[in-house]
Amino acid sequence: MTRFAPSPTGYMHIGGLYQALVDCKLAQQTGGVFMLRIEDTDTKREVADAVKIIEDSMHRFGLQYNKDEKYAPYYQSKRKDIYHSVAADLLARGLAYPCFLTAEDMEKIRENQKAAGFATGIYGEFARDRNLTEEEIIAHLDNGEVPTIRLYSMGNPENRIFCKDAVRGSIGFPENNEDIVLIKSNDGLPTYHFAHLCDDHFMRTTHVVRGEEWLPSFPLHVQLFRMMGWQTPMYIHTSTIDKIDSETGKQRKLSKRHDPEANVAFFLADGWPTEAVLEYLGNIAASGYEEAKMKGQVKSIWEYEMRPKKISMSGALFDMKKLEWWAKEFIASLPVDELVKRVRDWADEYDAVWAARIADKPEYLKNILAIERDNPKRIRKDFITWKQTLQEVAYFWDDLFVPNTEYVYNKDVLSAFLETFNVSDDKDTWWNKIVAIATEKGVKNGDVAMNLRVALTGRTNTPDLYSIMHVMGEEKVIERIKGAING
RNA sequence: GGUCCCAUCGUCUAGCGGUUAGGACGUCAGAUUCUCAUUCUGAAAACACGGGUUCGAUUCCCGUUGGGACUGCCA
């Protein structure tokens, strides 16, 4: 039983997708359950449609969570009663207490601690309300004050607590002595620490996959589980996905604010094959996948076993070039019809102008994309994304065709070709005519081809010319060559 | 400052005391091709540093350096 537990910030981070993939894989390969839990305990950060974005992203990437229970997805905000009853139990057992410290009080405490060189936080002597009497509590309450419920920490930093991570092994920390907040006063909702404790226990989570930013609070969480007498789940702290900051030159986590590629929506809008993104991510978590796939042992990431112990511990730099390679390989493996479908689906959603062009002549696009795709060993790999695929073949449309003004045409050659051109020629006949022209005009075969190529496409590099002419059709070919001669 | 994590080619990594340190992306060179893309050959490219332990360390331990995370009534 694994779970992906994002907070609804209106944004799906690539690192979140990575974690969700690990969760989903672990559940899938063991026949377990994969749940989605919305951590919406921060009412201030709530964003409309955020859950829809998360669900939609997961759906598109094929990360299907279990929906057959009435609680899928779970919302922490709807489970308030559960947290409150656990808190009440803690209160009764003297393991938690109501705290009436205000934000200002705490700010002051923090400043003093900093000035004195102490660790910040509410602990030990700084926990003013730790041992309030019943009368004092009632007095505060009568005063209209709403308390936070704090943990009555029994930890002693002099002692060490060992926490087991599936990837990193046993990690030793000083015990936690902070009286962290369990239930917030402003909205009565639990903090992450408390909510995850209750949820992962009651949901029977066996494997908690989360980012390594949680490592520092690991001892607290283990302390909490032990205090409750609950079984601690297996934790897997994944490393971050980083990039080199262009300004500082230093490695850092992919940031929502500065890096468009941190956002999963970016990959969707740019038309990256979701399978390729998943394979790229999956290979970071299970590095043997790539080789197994190339050897033909597995066909997709879903057939490859991901072993928690083998998940990479160091932060990986996001490598666009490698992603491009996965994408090229993936697109090359697609049958033409599927490729056309994917490109159309993308255009329908993200590019109305292209969608209209395609809808106008769907067979045309199919013929274009089918060029040099018949030999499975020699399929062109110049398509990376659906968007870029269309840009790549844009010259097939008159409104997008950009005549090449730089190129110096050999108009003699072009005229000669026009005289002998016949669309119904087979490839050999067609080529023989080009050779004949080359011989006659005293130029290389390649020069004749290049003149035609540039005249037809405006570019100096394209797929097979014969196929291009066939797909374009007689009329367009003649028109463009004439254009080059007269232009 | 404190706590914790991490450290093999440019990048992602394999390695789990003895290896010519392997693979992939990228790069470069060559062959093929009407150009390009493919495809095929080949090449350059790494164990951060210093101490231990050991017959022997990339591998185990310690330290240094470097990078990262956390230090909120955010997750």
Side-chain angles (χ1 to χ4, degrees):
Chain A
M1 156 68 217
T2 62
R3 86 292 189 288
F4 175 50
S7 47
T9 58
Y11 184 94
M12 180 82 167
H13 191 99
I14 189 78
L17 186 69
Y18 174 66
Q19 279 167 231
L21 169 63
V22 175
D23 276 312
C24 194
K25 259 308 282 176
L26 256 26
Q28 172 252 351
Q29 67 194 199
T30 57
V33 177
F34 170 48
M35 301 293 295
L36 174 62
R37 185 173 78 215
I38 306 299
E39 309 234 311
D40 55 348
T41 54
D42 185 5
T43 36
K44 293 187 286 291
R45 288 208 308 181
E46 205 91 17
V47 177
D49 286 343
V51 176
K52 210 189 279 175
I53 290 171
I54 292 166
E55 289 188 300
D56 182 60
S57 304
M58 289 176 70
H59 176 72
R60 286 168 187 252
F61 282 87
L63 268 21
Q64 207 50 258
Y65 59 89
N66 281 62
K67 276 187 168 165
D68 47 327
E69 290 185 42
K70 57 178 175 174
Y71 295 120
Y74 280 78
Y75 284 81
Q76 289 187 325
S77 60
K78 292 180 185 168
R79 295 161 62 81
K80 216 166 163 177
D81 292 346
I82 297 174
Y83 312 119
H84 281 213
S85 66
V86 175
D89 176 52
L90 251 21
L91 243 16
R93 289 159 62 196
L95 295 170
Y97 65 92
C99 172
F100 297 92
L101 250 19
T102 64
E104 295 77 52
D105 292 336
M106 292 179 45
E107 185 52 39
K108 209 169 287 172
I109 292 172
R110 201 184 345 265
E111 275 169 28
N112 290 153
Q113 286 170 327
K114 273 183 185 166
F118 292 136
T120 55
I122 303 304
Y123 58 90
E125 56 183 301
F126 300 106
R128 189 193 71 189
D129 298 350
R130 217 170 185 233
N131 298 306
L132 250 30
T133 62
E134 207 168 312
E135 291 71 36
E136 289 170 319
I137 293 172
I138 292 173
H140 273 112
L141 256 20
D142 286 346
N143 200 216
E145 294 174 44
V146 181
T148 59
I149 305 302
R150 280 186 188 276
L151 168 72
Y152 194 100
S153 179
M154 302 293 218
N156 177 357
E158 306 277 306
N159 300 333
R160 288 186 76 75
I161 179 169
F162 291 88
C163 307
K164 196 176 171 223
D165 177 273
V167 188
R168 295 160 218 262
S170 179
I171 308 171
F173 298 86
E175 280 183 2
N176 166 268
N177 66 335
E178 260 198 83
D179 289 350
I180 57 114
V181 172
L182 265 20
I183 303 283
K184 298 182 277 183
S185 65
N186 57 171
D187 50 18
L189 286 167
T191 56
Y192 169 84
H193 304 112
F194 192 53
H196 119 276
L197 168 84
C198 300
D199 289 335
D200 283 325
H201 173 70
F202 292 121
M203 290 167 75
R204 299 173 207 276
T205 306
T206 57
H207 296 258
V208 174
V209 180
R210 42 143 71 153
E212 67 177 349
E213 66 270 21
W214 289 108
L215 232 27
S217 46
F218 198 7
L220 165 68
H221 299 153
V222 171
Q223 175 189 22
L224 254 21
F225 270 99
R226 289 186 187 166
M227 184 181 82
M228 295 306 298
W230 291 344
Q231 163 130 41
T232 311
M234 177 58 78
Y235 281 90
I236 297 168
H237 291 95
T238 60
S239 54
T240 53
I241 293 174
D242 305 344
K243 77 176 293 182
I244 298 291
D245 189 286
S246 52
E247 281 177 27
T248 65
K250 290 187 172 179
Q251 187 164 341
R252 62 165 172 76
K253 194 169 147 183
L254 234 29
S255 138
K256 165 177 179 175
R257 283 193 55 192
H258 304 293
D259 314 309
E261 74 270 33
N263 190 166
V264 167
F266 162 85
F267 293 95
L268 261 12
D270 251 22
W272 289 85
T274 54
E275 290 88 342
V277 175
L278 227 46
E279 289 191 300
Y280 171 71
L281 254 22
N283 193 55
I284 290 180
S287 62
Y289 170 63
E290 184 180 337
E291 207 175 331
K293 167 137 185 193
M294 282 193 296
K295 284 183 182 164
Q297 292 162 351
V298 296
K299 282 163 84 180
S300 84
I301 191 77
W302 303 106
E303 289 176 19
Y304 187 76
E305 190 192 348
M306 180 181 288
R307 296 209 298 279
K309 274 185 189 147
K310 297 279 287 176
I311 294 174
S312 165
M313 293 192 280
S314 47
L317 246 29
F318 193 87
D319 187 349
M320 266 299 177
K321 280 274 181 278
K322 187 120 190 193
L323 208 214
E324 285 182 8
W325 174 75
W326 279 109
K328 284 183 186 176
E329 291 290 328
F330 176 77
I331 293 182
S333 75
L334 252 27
V336 183
D337 288 328
E338 182 64 16
L339 172 59
V340 173
K341 181 183 179 302
R342 298 295 200 102
V343 171
R344 278 195 79 162
D345 285 349
W346 177 83
D348 285 343
E349 182 166 9
Y350 295 99
D351 194 325
V353 179
W354 260 116
R357 273 190 206 109
I358 298 169
D360 186 37
K361 284 185 289 182
E363 277 301 306
Y364 191 44
L365 178 67
K366 181 180 170 178
N367 293 337
I368 292 167
L369 297 183
I371 292 173
E372 287 189 73
R373 260 186 173 264
D374 15 303
N375 182 349
K377 292 292 284 178
R378 299 254 164 155
I379 290 177
R380 300 190 62 86
K381 290 180 182 165
D382 35 19
F383 300 148
I384 303 169
T385 64
W386 315 130
K387 181 184 187 178
Q388 178 266 156
T389 297
L390 288 169
Q391 288 165 185
E392 191 68 20
V393 299
Y395 57 80
F396 277 95
W397 279 265
D398 290 332
D399 61 321
L400 296 173
F401 170 63
V402 183
N404 193 320
T405 51
E406 309 272 298
Y407 191 79
V408 182
Y409 291 106
N410 184 331
K411 296 180 179 176
D412 252 14
V413 164
L414 290 177
S415 304
F417 179 81
L418 226 37
E419 279 169 31
T420 64
F421 177 58
N422 183 343
V423 259
S424 46
D425 284 345
D426 63 24
K427 189 158 184 179
D428 285 339
T429 313
W430 171 83
W431 180 245
N432 288 336
K433 285 181 177 177
I434 288 178
V435 173
I437 293 169
T439 313
E440 186 194 328
K441 303 293 175 189
V443 297
K444 290 179 188 165
N445 300 345
D447 290 338
V448 178
M450 189 51 82
N451 269 279
L452 290 170
R453 169 169 291 111
V454 178
L456 291 172
T457 69
R459 305 179 10 171
T460 52
N461 52 307
T462 70
D464 175 55
L465 259 188
Y466 177 78
S467 306
I468 288 178
M469 291 191 185
H470 257 256
V471 174
M472 277 186 174
E474 184 173 25
E475 197 182 324
K476 203 188 290 292
V477 169
I478 292 172
E479 180 188 314
R480 289 199 181 172
I481 293 177
K482 280 185 176 167
I485 295 172
N486 302 326

